[in-house]
Amino acid sequence: MEVNITREDIIKELMNLYIGQAASLMSEITNRKIILSVPEVKILIGKEQVAGLVMPECQNNGALMVSSIKFEKDLEGMAKLIFPANKIKKLTSIVLEEDLLEEDFYSLKMEFSDTDYDIVKELGNIVLNSVVGGIANLIDICAEYSMPQVKLFENIDYEKLIEPYSQVLLTFVNFNIENEEIFGAIIIQLAFKSMKDLLEKVEELRSNVDEQDL
Amino acid sequence: MNRIYKKALGATNHGILIIDEQLKIVFGNTFMEELLGIYPDNMIGKSISEILPKFKDKTLQKILHMVIENNQKLFLSAAQHKYFALPRNNCENAIRQNLNVVSLEVSGRKYALLEIHDVTNQFLRVKQLKSYIAKLYELQKSLDHNELKYKTLFDNIDVGFIYCEILWDKKGNIDDIVITDANNPFLKTFYKTKESVVGESLVEVGNALQKGFGDRMLSRLARGKNIRYDDIYIKKFDGYFSVTGYVCGGDGYALKIKNITQRKANERTIKKLAYFDQLTGLLSRNVFEKVLERKIQRVKRGGKPFTLMFIDIDNFKELNDSFGHDFGDKVLVEIAKRLKKTTRQGDIVSRFGGDEFLILNSDVESVDIGKKIAKRILRQLSIPLIIGERRIRLKVSIGISICPHDSCSKTELLKKADMAMYSAKEVGGNKFMFFQDYSKSMEKA
């Protein structure tokens, strides 16, 4: 029986593995049960393909909070973890064990403090380090990371988040923290060579899987 | 050169430690010395967990190893970890520090640079901000509660209210007044629904209630005057209303519309009680005396003479005693009707009290006219009355004084008419007598 495994399937599995490691570390740090899963990945070439993207939970509220890191040397690019801004309060209150009511989320949801930014920065840092580190290890090259940055974007504008002419690996991520679902996304922009290396490696893995199936 | 680097790292206002792959300290800056009270040279070679007990935590050790091995950079927040280097004499709950961990590779050996940033002030600021926001939210909730309270009051008070927004044109003139809310009593009184009123022009709604009413309100506001109508009759709803406007901050305007129909009816009843005799419906004595006073003044200013008739029913007491007060009352009512019927237009009839009546006959230019009226009254009242199954024939005595001939004083005129009436009664009743005749007869006597 022929199993049609796409490169997206392989990347999805890899991403699940990397963010699974991040989730494990985050669970240890926060003393919370954190489960991360990857419902979907997309490989996008060029800015045009990104323009039409809509994050499922951002349709009615455009604000986004983005934690990002740069990496260079052999693996070159930028990684961003994106959360709908209206979910940030829920995320931070769970992490900080703050007892906020639903109505408090409503009233406070767009009032972000340094504490909120720092938590997103730390969580994003761990997830992105894990994913980028995983990709670097996979293609057996070295990456140098920057310290994470967090920014709030008022409107959904994926084009602003992505450098022109870059190759993009888009991964939707489901954060399950203490049974609260928070939907986010990871955008990994890779330089042309880095994406080529990654896709070649993925193709190699896919061939291996196909051969095993045969 | 090493000394320069050491000095530079020491001069920074955050703690710096460099650790190797075994997590042993290879450098600590002067900030760390000040913070922990340990001389930097005494830190070197010791495990990080010995100097900073926080790092006894296996997860933190794992993170440090991970950063060093994978050549990463990591940020750990005070929000989640509180602190990393606990200062001497400091309560751990009071201190907040962020930690940056950066991997280094020097001469093939791997290290981690730890930067400890004190963010206690920032944390306290956030805490205060959160407390401020929480208070603000409490206030908002309280305001919402108050709004609900006033909304409940607004909808349940028995006075109609509508809120409006004044719209201005470019020249600063009122362009329109749009209704933004209306309470239940208003809607109920004028058989409207909220949907049919909100968003509509006050001018149009006003004009629909009564022709021109909306235009009049607009005109008052345009002239900078407040809307105030104490007593307006709206034919369509057969009722009286008072309408008062209030400026409600900015361009807001409220109108209070009170149905005063019942109040007006009550006022009419009270007026009637004061002005009219309850039994006969004739003018009360008080009102009659005021009219009499005015008539005297008119005569004094050259007006035409008038006569004052004092009428008393002969033997009314016996009638009352024989047939009861109810019967007597019915007789009085019937007499009042006949007196009204007999007098001319402009003459004033009043019940003076008991079985006494007063008539003011205006413009009596000669005694003859007075006589004619008196005769007519006697004739009218001599017609038998049928009350129930009884038929009775009444007799009355009438005394007449003339103004200005007899006096130009109210008291004197009343007194003289009364005296003439008694004189008529003394000579057998069923007669009239002018005071001037009575006076002459007295003079002769």
Side-chain angles (χ1 to χ4, degrees):
Chain A
M1 184 184 166
E2 191 183 336
V3 180
N4 189 16
I5 295 173
T6 64
R7 60 184 182 180
E8 278 81 5
D9 291 330
I10 300 282
I11 292 173
K12 189 174 161 182
E13 277 312 303
L14 290 170
M15 295 302 276
N16 262 321
L17 176 70
Y18 304 147
I19 67 161
Q21 287 165 353
S24 160
L25 185 58
M26 276 161 59
S27 298
E28 282 183 51
I29 290 173
T30 60
N31 261 331
R32 297 271 178 288
K33 191 182 174 190
I34 298 177
I35 301 165
L36 303 182
S37 58
V38 178
E40 193 182 354
V41 293
K42 283 181 180 176
I43 299 163
L44 307 165
I45 311 294
K47 201 169 179 172
E48 290 73 22
Q49 286 190 304
V50 176
L53 274 178
V54 176
M55 241 173 94
E57 290 204 6
C58 282
Q59 288 176 15
N60 297 323
N61 190 332
L64 297 171
M65 194 173 268
V66 179
S67 172
S68 57
I69 58 163
K70 274 185 181 173
F71 44 90
E72 49 196 21
K73 215 175 174 181
D74 299 335
L75 185 68
E76 199 181 329
M78 184 174 266
K80 293 182 164 93
L81 176 64
I82 305 166
F83 287 112
N86 60 354
K87 297 284 181 182
I88 296 297
K89 275 287 163 194
K90 188 164 260 184
L91 177 75
T92 56
S93 69
I94 294 167
V95 171
L96 294 177
E97 293 179 75
E98 282 178 339
D99 200 10
L100 289 183
L101 300 170
E102 198 61 37
E103 61 207 48
D104 297 328
F105 285 126
Y106 179 75
S107 68
L108 301 173
K109 68 183 179 186
M110 299 309 275
E111 303 279 346
F112 299 112
S113 65
D114 292 342
T115 310
D116 298 318
Y117 280 99
D118 283 352
I119 288 172
V120 173
K121 196 170 167 181
E122 181 174 339
L123 294 181
N125 192 192
I126 290 168
V127 172
L128 296 175
N129 274 2
S130 180
V131 170
V132 174
I135 292 172
N137 284 341
L138 179 74
I139 52 183
D140 201 19
I141 53 174
C142 189
E144 270 186 13
Y145 306 79
S146 71
M147 288 306 287
Q149 300 286 324
V150 178
K151 277 187 183 174
L152 187 69
F153 288 80
E154 278 186 20
N155 295 301
I156 294 175
D157 195 347
Y158 286 92
E159 288 181 60
K160 279 186 187 169
L161 297 175
I162 295 165
E163 300 290 322
Y165 314 115
S166 59
Q167 324 270 314
V168 175
L169 178 62
L170 175 74
T171 308
F172 292 117
V173 190
N174 217 0
F175 280 70
N176 184 312
I177 306 177
E178 299 275 289
N179 296 323
E180 283 285 348
E181 293 277 335
I182 296 167
F183 203 83
I186 297 172
I187 289 176
I188 299 169
Q189 296 172 64
L190 292 172
F192 183 75
K193 187 182 176 309
S194 300
M195 181 62 98
K196 186 170 167 282
D197 290 345
L198 172 66
L199 294 180
E200 277 175 8
K201 192 71 190 175
V202 168
E203 195 54 40
E204 190 185 311
L205 287 171
R206 196 170 73 94
S207 309
N208 289 343
V209 173
D210 287 348
E211 278 168 22
Q212 279 170 22
D213 282 339
L214 287 168
Chain B
M1 203 57 184
N2 266 345
R3 250 199 275 162
I4 295 172
Y5 292 137
K6 273 190 180 181
K7 274 210 165 184
L9 291 171
T12 58
N13 61 355
H14 51 265
I16 291 178
L17 286 177
I18 298 174
I19 53 170
D20 62 14
E21 286 174 291
Q22 283 78 48
L23 308 188
K24 289 193 187 308
I25 294 169
V26 295
F27 173 79
N29 73 346
T30 45
F31 187 94
M32 291 302 293
E33 178 195 345
E34 285 166 21
L35 192 74
L36 304 169
I38 304 171
Y39 188 66
D41 287 350
N42 292 341
M43 296 180 197
I44 293 165
K46 289 190 175 161
S47 161
I48 189 168
S49 57
E50 281 180 70
I51 303 298
L52 305 178
K54 182 86 172 174
F55 285 87
K56 284 178 181 166
D57 183 309
K58 292 275 187 294
T59 306
L60 284 180
Q61 289 184 16
K62 187 172 150 186
I63 286 171
L64 293 178
H65 282 301
M66 186 187 78
V67 170
I68 295 169
E69 279 166 23
N70 299 325
N71 202 25
Q72 290 176 335
K73 290 186 174 67
L74 196 73
F75 168 81
L76 297 175
S77 68
Q80 289 200 72
H81 306 274
K82 292 187 179 175
Y83 64 94
F84 297 93
L86 190 63
R88 289 169 298 164
N89 310 321
N90 227 322
C91 169
E92 62 180 77
N93 286 328
I95 193 88
R96 293 292 182 277
Q97 295 160 339
N98 284 340
L99 175 69
N100 284 340
V101 188
V102 178
S103 64
L104 302 169
E105 196 171 336
V106 182
S107 310
R109 294 191 66 183
K110 287 184 169 181
Y111 301 93
L113 172 81
L114 281 71
E115 292 175 64
I116 297 167
H117 295 262
D118 188 283
V119 289
T120 307
N121 288 338
Q122 185 195 83
F123 177 80
L124 289 174
R125 214 167 47 240
V126 169
K127 207 170 167 186
Q128 279 170 352
L129 186 74
K130 278 188 177 176
S131 147
Y132 173 72
I133 290 171
K135 277 181 191 160
L136 209 65
Y137 183 59
E138 276 301 311
L139 186 69
Q140 178 67 44
K141 275 208 283 196
S142 139
L143 285 176
D144 289 348
H145 178 69
N146 274 340
E147 195 181 322
L148 184 71
K149 204 162 73 184
Y150 288 119
K151 182 74 182 157
T152 309
L153 194 65
F154 176 69
D155 275 333
N156 292 290
I157 198 167
D158 66 345
V159 176
F161 264 105
I162 50 177
Y163 283 127
C164 308
E165 185 83 16
I166 299 175
L167 305 180
W168 306 88
D169 65 14
K170 285 176 185 172
K171 291 176 185 169
N173 300 319
I174 296 177
D175 188 35
D176 202 355
I177 307 159
V178 177
I179 298 172
T180 53
D181 201 0
N183 73 347
N184 289 336
F186 174 84
L187 301 170
K188 213 171 158 184
T189 304
F190 297 108
Y191 309 113
K192 301 268 184 193
T193 61
K194 196 165 264 193
E195 293 72 28
S196 71
V197 171
V198 171
E200 293 300 312
S201 162
L202 175 70
V203 178
E204 283 170 25
V205 171
N207 283 341
L209 289 178
Q210 194 185 57
K211 197 179 172 187
F213 181 47
D215 293 326
R216 290 209 298 280
M217 288 196 286
L218 178 65
S219 164
R220 281 191 72 85
L221 282 178
R223 281 183 282 131
K225 290 185 174 176
N226 210 13
I227 292 174
R228 187 177 174 136
Y229 298 98
D230 289 337
D231 179 358
I232 184 166
Y233 178 70
I234 299 181
K235 196 178 174 184
K236 204 170 169 183
F237 297 94
D238 189 24
Y240 289 88
F241 296 86
S242 74
V243 181
T244 315
Y246 302 91
V247 175
C248 296
D251 295 328
Y253 200 78
L255 277 180
K256 182 180 86 176
I257 301 109
K258 195 171 181 183
N259 188 336
I260 55 165
T261 311
Q262 187 57 47
R263 197 187 82 195
K264 290 281 289 181
N266 292 344
E267 279 174 4
R268 277 199 301 273
T269 307
I270 291 165
K271 211 182 246 182
K272 210 173 171 184
L273 286 172
Y275 292 178
F276 298 95
D277 175 60
Q278 289 305 291
L279 181 66
T280 61
L282 296 175
L283 273 187
S284 71
R285 178 178 166 171
N286 284 343
V287 178
F288 184 86
E289 285 187 8
K290 281 179 187 166
V291 175
L292 178 59
E293 192 68 56
R294 279 205 301 275
K295 287 281 181 188
I296 291 168
Q297 295 307 319
R298 198 174 291 169
V299 169
K300 281 181 179 172
R301 290 196 302 270
K304 290 179 181 172
F306 67 85
T307 60
L308 176 67
M309 294 182 170
F310 206 117
I311 303 166
D312 187 89
I313 303 168
D314 297 337
N315 306 316
F316 184 72
K317 190 176 178 300
E318 285 80 355
L319 199 72
N320 247 349
D321 292 346
S322 306
F323 305 118
H325 285 282
D326 283 351
F327 187 84
D329 284 350
K330 283 172 185 165
V331 170
L332 291 172
V333 170
E334 197 54 41
I335 287 174
K337 277 183 192 169
R338 289 192 182 185
L339 288 176
K340 286 278 278 181
K341 200 173 155 187
T342 313
T343 50
R344 302 167 305 162
Q345 196 175 6
D347 291 347
I348 296 158
V349 185
S350 165
R351 185 178 172 211
F352 195 63
D355 59 337
E356 295 169 334
F357 294 88
L358 290 169
I359 299 177
L360 192 152
N361 306 114
S362 304
D363 307 337
V364 181
E365 287 174 355
S366 66
V367 175
D368 286 346
I369 295 174
K371 280 181 183 170
K372 269 186 187 174
I373 297 168
K375 278 179 186 172
R376 205 161 59 225
I377 291 169
L378 287 176
R379 204 169 43 246
Q380 245 329 302
L381 294 181
S382 66
I383 299 168
L385 288 175
I386 299 166
I387 295 170
E389 292 174 352
R390 295 184 193 283
R391 188 170 186 270
I392 55 164
R393 190 182 290 272
L394 285 176
K395 290 178 183 176
V396 298
S397 300
I398 305 171
I400 306 165
S401 59
I402 305 170
C403 180
H405 183 270
D406 296 328
S407 175
C408 272
S409 150
K410 180 185 80 181
T411 318
E412 280 295 306
L413 282 170
L414 283 167
K415 191 179 158 190
K416 286 176 177 175
D418 188 30
M419 286 164 76
M421 183 271 292
Y422 270 104
S423 174
K425 210 178 267 284
E426 276 174 11
V427 293
N430 202 22
K431 283 186 176 59
F432 66 87
M433 182 168 283
F434 281 88
F435 177 74
Q436 57 189 45
D437 297 336
Y438 162 76
S439 175
K440 280 174 190 166
S441 66
M442 290 300 286
E443 278 170 18
K444 281 177 188 171

